[in-house]
Amino acid sequence: MQDTYPRPVGRVLITGGGSGLGQAVVRAVAEAGGTPAVIDRDVTGAGEGVLARQADVSDRAAVERAVAEIAEELGGIDAVVTAAGIDRCGQLGDVAADQWELVIGVNLLGTVSTVRAALPHIEKVHGRVITVASSLALRALPDATAYCASKFGVLGFSRALAAESHGRIGVTTLIPAGMRTRFFDDRDEQYKPGPDAQLIDPSEVARTILFALQQPQGVEVRELVVAPEAEPSWP
């Protein structure tokens, strides 16, 4: 029997919850009456009173420890939002191999490690996994081979996970366009959004995540594309 909408948000583990989209999700979950928990390299921005564990999501063992500690303290996990992400822009031959691989390690493998570690807890409650891809999971751009590879991978992983786990958990892939966050701060000027760039407020994107989290069991929001009305990178 299906439960009703809106479903209680519950205990939500958020990677990258110390800044950007992840931080916006933490606030949205708390405002909706849920209990957010954070895994991030820097947890100072997670918010007062929010359960947080410091870990680099590219370190699988560290992720597994952090997830286990959070699940024990909260008495379980109802949902996961994998918002941690990085980028290294440039031509393939110009981006150092270790930095290129780090993008894959954080964006793709970090997503997989977090979901794998949390899966037994989510399955107990027929909870939900929300992975964060990108509009660059749908469109490839030059000087973005690492980021595109990682986000195409997140999309493929999420679709396959949904196929193999149906009836046990819900899986939603979020596909956002560029947001007004500090994500672009460490880029060279040529790779930063211009003054006329149309970027989304992360709080608006976080609201769409809440929509997916609150769907009743048996109702699937498989993919959510969130973009400005005239978003120029849309395929």
Side-chain angles (χ1 to χ4, degrees):
M1 183 177 182
Q2 292 183 350
D3 51 13
T4 58
Y5 177 85
R7 189 179 188 181
V9 176
R11 302 157 294 184
V12 184
L13 170 61
I14 303 141
T15 66
S19 63
L21 174 61
Q23 186 181 60
V25 175
V26 168
R27 293 171 180 165
V29 166
E31 289 170 2
T35 302
V38 168
I39 295 176
D40 205 332
R41 289 183 63 186
D42 181 357
V43 298
T44 56
E48 186 176 352
V50 174
L51 176 61
R53 290 292 181 271
Q54 188 173 12
D56 185 333
V57 297
S58 67
D59 182 338
R60 177 168 49 84
V63 168
E64 290 170 351
R65 286 193 299 271
V67 171
E69 290 173 5
I70 288 170
E72 182 174 2
E73 186 154 345
L74 294 182
I77 296 171
D78 297 302
V80 166
V81 180
T82 59
I86 64 170
D87 193 8
R88 297 292 184 268
C89 301
Q91 294 278 310
L92 177 60
D94 296 334
V95 178
D98 62 336
Q99 292 301 300
W100 200 100
E101 292 168 3
L102 181 61
V103 175
I104 305 298
V106 172
N107 296 358
L108 176 56
L109 300 183
T111 293
V112 175
S113 295
T114 304
V115 172
R116 182 189 286 115
L119 193 58
H121 307 287
I122 297 172
E123 286 183 325
K124 287 179 182 178
V125 294
H126 201 119
R128 182 171 296 275
V129 168
I130 297 184
T131 60
V132 179
S134 166
S135 57
L136 267 65
L138 303 176
R139 180 188 183 198
L141 295 177
D143 295 3
T145 56
Y147 194 74
C148 286
S150 69
K151 293 302 187 176
F152 270 72
V154 168
L155 182 59
F157 164 73
S158 305
R159 288 175 173 176
L161 179 65
E164 77 175 34
S165 64
H166 67 88
R168 296 177 308 179
I169 67 170
V171 179
T172 297
T173 308
L174 176 69
I175 305 173
M179 291 173 277
R180 289 194 297 271
T181 70
R182 296 176 58 190
F183 182 75
F184 305 107
D185 287 0
D186 62 353
R187 293 184 176 188
D188 293 340
E189 285 299 320
Q190 71 187 96
Y191 298 123
K192 290 183 179 181
D196 297 329
Q198 298 186 43
L199 303 174
I200 316 169
D201 190 302
S203 65
E204 301 290 345
V205 181
R207 248 202 310 261
T208 70
I209 290 176
L210 274 186
F211 172 75
L213 288 173
Q214 293 178 311
Q215 292 305 304
Q217 182 176 320
V219 176
E220 284 301 311
V221 180
R222 288 299 189 202
E223 293 173 10
L224 274 168
V225 179
V226 186
E229 186 176 34
E231 205 275 313
S233 71
W234 182 245

